[in-house]
Amino acid sequence: METGDRRFLIDCGPATTYKLVQTGMQPLDIDHLFFTHHHFDHTSDFATFLLTRWDHSIGEENRLKVFGPSGTEVLTDRLIGESGAFSTDWKARVGHHLSHTMHVSRGGSLPRPAPSADVTDATPGPVHSEDGLIVTAAPGEHVQPFLDSLVWRLETPDCSVVFTGDTQPCDRIVDLARGADALVSLCGNFQSALRERGIEEGQTGTLGAAEMAAEAGVKQLFLVHVGPDLSARENRERGLAEIASVFDGEVVLTDELTSYEIMTGMSDTSPATRDPVTHPHIHRH
Ligand SMILES: [Zn+2]
């Protein structure tokens, strides 16, 4: 998410750092990272992101702030801590004169600091505020009790966006998203496909995403984490029509490496002007 001169990263799954660079961003452009949960498809590029950001740093940049559910602090320490998986690498870069020369050539000074970040295991509720940024979390419902999940609401003076991560639809997400500009929701498949395969629990499909967006009164619904059935060219229109039958705001079925504008400001679809709605399609747990 990019607003003003700020960029926020939500999750850090496979090849995230590579894809960031492909879209013209560098790890050092991002000062805040929010994890929704610790499944590897949301975390596995964290090491690359952390270490690349550190390697490019010359000590003048903002410190990286990382927020996530329980396990975020341990994960970080196990990667870049004193005895972490990558400690032999960073100690070599901190100690060897070749790395010193490269670091100084970039504008850094010696001695090289070890990699570090401000990491917080967060819980639902207000989590962070800073220079007009207000961050709030709600619990997601995904694969408890094995993993905690957090849904994030990021508010800046320009816009407010809620990121579900992986979860089934639930009222606490609707409450968190109420009045936000946009909901960025998991949408793994057609609701009927999830139901037929017995994998509706812990996940969100077309109708679940649409109902949360409608009940929260957001202007836009961005569908992410879209599986191969729904993202197939021949199926997209049917998926969008299914969602439009429930949610009358703008729906974006997102593609990788693509930027989308967040609609901001009051509009006819703002929650203040809408009647409260509830939808019966999805059983709430
Ligand atoms: Zn997951």
Side-chain angles (χ1 to χ4, degrees), residues 37 39 41-42 142 166:
H37 65 300
H39 268 151
D41 54 323
H42 296 252
H142 186 36
D166 291 358

Side-chain angles (χ1 to χ4, degrees), residues 174-188:
V174 172
D175 290 341
L176 185 74
R178 198 154 275 135
D181 294 312
L183 176 66
V184 180
S185 177
L186 162 70
C187 188

